[in-house]
Amino acid sequence: MPEPETITTLSSCGIDFLTDFWQEKYLREYIRDGGSKMKFVTGRSGSGKTHFLRLMGSLALKENYKAVYFSAKDIWMHDFREIYVEILRQCDIMDCLKAASLCVIREMGYDPDEIPEDMKFIDYLSKNGSADPVTRREIRSQLRSLFLDDPLLDNNFALACSMLTGSILGYPTLEEQNKELLLLWLQSDRNVKLSQLRALGFYPAKITRYNARNMLRSLAEVIHMGSYSGLFVAIDDMEILISRTSLETVHYTKMKRDDTYESIRQLIDDIDSMHHLFFVYAFSRELIDNENAGLKSYQALWMRIQNEIVGERFNRFSDMIDLDRLALQEYTPEIIVAISQNLAERRSSQVSAPLDEESARALALQARTGNTGMAQLILNAMEAKNHD
C-alpha cells in the first residue's frame, strides 16, 4: 500500500464524490469511533476498481490506519486463515506491539520520548534506580490489564501479545528463540509444534479457518491499542472465483468457491462484533451476473449483500458500490475532460493528449452500453487521439 505522501500521485478526479464521503463518514467517524464495516465494489472491466481501492488505502494511511491491499489472484480466499495471515504480515505485528508498549509506559507515569530509542524501558528504569520489585510487578499488571483483561481479544492471542510486548519493554524477559516461536504461531506457521509453546506456559490451539476471524478481531483491537485509527483491508480481483482460464495461478472448484462464499457470509455476520475494521471486496460485474457460479448461486450470502432498495440517485451509504452507475451519474463531459487532463499529466507521452468536450460527450454516451468501464474508455480514447 502506498505511503501517505504518495497520495498526490493517485488521482481522485471524478471518484472523489465517493472517496471524500468514505473518508469523512467512515475513516474519520464511524470506523475510528469503534464501528466496523464491510463494503463491496463492482463494475465492468476498466471501471477503476483497483485505482479506487488503492486510493482509499492511501487515504486510510493518511488518516492513521493500518492499510492492507492484496489480490485474490495471489491469496486463497476459501480459507480465512490465509486471509488473516496475509493481513497480519502486511500490518507488522511487532510495530503494532511497539506502539502498544508506549501505552504501558505512559500508564506508569513515564514519557516515552524521554527514553533513548536504543534502550528498553526496564533498562531506563534501572539506570534511574527505579527497577525495583514493585515497579516490575506494575509492568506485569499493566500488561495483564492491556491484553489479558480485554474481552475483545482471543485469550491465546492476548497472551502471545503480552509476552512479546514484555520483550519490547525488557520485562518480563523473553529469549529471542521464544520470541520467534510466538511470532511463528501468530503467523499460523504449520511447522510450529504446540509442545514447544507449552514450555513457555503457553497452551494455544493452532490457528485455522474456524478461529481466524477471532484472530482478525484481536489484531484489529491490538492495532487500535497502538493509537492507530483502525485497520483498512482491501481485497481485489474476486472475479477469479469464476475464472476458467488456465493462465491463473489459482483455480477454484465449486467446493472451494462455495467455501469462499460461506467465509464471506460468516464475516458479514461477525462484523458487528468487531471494532475499528473496514473490509472492502472488489470484483467485476461477472461475479454478480453469472447465475450458476457467481454470488447469486450462494443464497445465504446473496441475501445479505443484495440491494433491497435501488433509488434513482447513487447511494453512497450502499454496501454494494457500482462504479459504472457512479460514473453515469457523476462523470459529466467536464469531469471526463478533467480526468483526461489529469491522466495526461501523470502518464507517458504516449497518452499525453487530453480529450476535448466533444469527445467527452461521445464517451458519456458510449459508457451506457458495452463491456468497458469509463476509466478504460477515457484511456482508450486518449491513446486513439494520440495516434491520429
Side-chain angles (χ1 to χ4, degrees), residues 168-198:
I168 294 170
L169 295 168
Y171 184 82
T173 58
L174 186 66
E175 293 182 7
E176 189 64 27
Q177 64 181 23
N178 292 331
K179 171 185 170 182
E180 293 302 319
L181 196 60
L182 287 172
L183 287 172
L184 288 174
W185 176 78
L186 284 171
Q187 296 161 8
S188 190
D189 191 300
R190 299 184 187 278
N191 295 319
V192 173
K193 293 181 173 59
L194 297 182
S195 58
Q196 295 174 288
L197 295 166
R198 295 187 186 112

Side-chain angles (χ1 to χ4, degrees), residues 133-355:
V134 174
T135 303
R136 291 172 185 266
R137 189 159 56 247
E138 178 63 17
I139 293 176
R140 286 183 177 273
S141 176
Q142 289 294 335
L143 289 172
R144 185 184 309 111
S145 176
L146 186 63
F147 294 107
L148 299 175
D149 294 344
D150 189 331
L152 294 175
L153 293 183
D154 173 88
N155 287 337
N156 291 324
F157 194 99
L159 183 54
C161 288
S162 176
M163 296 168 75
L164 288 168
T165 305
S167 74
I168 294 170
L169 295 168
Y171 184 82
T173 58
L174 186 66
E175 293 182 7
E176 189 64 27
Q177 64 181 23
N178 292 331
K179 171 185 170 182
E180 293 302 319
L181 196 60
L182 287 172
L183 287 172
L184 288 174
W185 176 78
L186 284 171
Q187 296 161 8
S188 190
D189 191 300
R190 299 184 187 278
N191 295 319
V192 173
K193 293 181 173 59
L194 297 182
S195 58
Q196 295 174 288
L197 295 166
R198 295 187 186 112
L200 302 175
F202 186 38
Y203 301 88
K206 284 188 175 294
I207 298 175
T208 67
R209 68 171 67 187
Y210 303 108
N211 60 11
R213 286 189 308 282
N214 291 335
M215 299 302 168
L216 177 64
R217 178 192 293 112
S218 300
L219 175 61
E221 181 69 7
V222 167
I223 287 171
H224 188 253
M225 283 178 187
S227 299
Y228 287 96
S229 301
L231 172 60
F232 176 84
V233 179
I235 304 180
D236 204 357
D237 303 316
M238 288 294 291
E239 65 274 5
I240 188 68
L241 292 172
I242 59 174
S243 175
R244 287 293 172 264
T245 175
S246 59
L247 299 177
E248 302 291 356
T249 55
V250 297
H251 172 72
Y252 283 84
T253 61
K254 183 181 185 304
M255 181 176 294
K256 285 184 177 179
R257 186 167 58 246
D258 285 349
D259 284 346
T260 301
Y261 293 150
E262 176 61 16
S263 175
I264 298 173
R265 195 278 303 168
Q266 290 174 355
L267 184 59
I268 291 174
D269 288 353
D270 286 351
I271 200 70
D272 288 339
S273 69
M274 301 181 181
H275 298 275
H276 309 287
L277 177 62
F278 197 174
F279 229 94
V280 186
Y281 287 96
F283 45 83
S284 294
R285 286 286 314 180
E286 293 89 345
L287 196 63
I288 295 178
D289 296 338
N290 190 317
E291 300 278 350
N292 296 323
L295 295 171
K296 295 177 182 177
S297 70
Y298 201 82
Q299 280 298 309
L301 173 59
W302 182 245
M303 288 172 60
R304 287 164 171 79
I305 64 176
Q306 63 182 325
N307 290 322
E308 296 181 3
I309 301 175
V310 178
E312 293 183 4
R313 297 283 296 173
F314 180 88
N315 180 10
R316 292 182 290 186
F317 279 109
S318 175
D319 290 338
M320 180 70 76
I321 297 296
D322 187 337
L323 293 186
D324 293 323
R325 192 163 178 234
L326 172 63
L328 290 176
Q329 175 178 302
E330 294 299 317
Y331 286 22
T332 62
E334 292 77 17
I335 291 291
I336 293 173
V337 170
I339 292 173
S340 71
Q341 290 171 341
N342 193 284
L343 284 170
E345 293 172 0
R346 284 170 165 76
R347 301 181 69 91
S348 68
S349 58
Q350 293 180 342
V351 288
S352 60
L355 302 178

Side-chain angles (χ1 to χ4, degrees), residues 13-29:
C13 188
I15 201 69
D16 53 3
F17 175 78
L18 183 59
T19 56
D20 288 356
F21 181 82
W22 276 24
Q23 182 180 18
E24 181 65 30
K25 298 300 183 182
Y26 294 107
L27 296 180
R28 291 179 179 170
E29 296 179 6

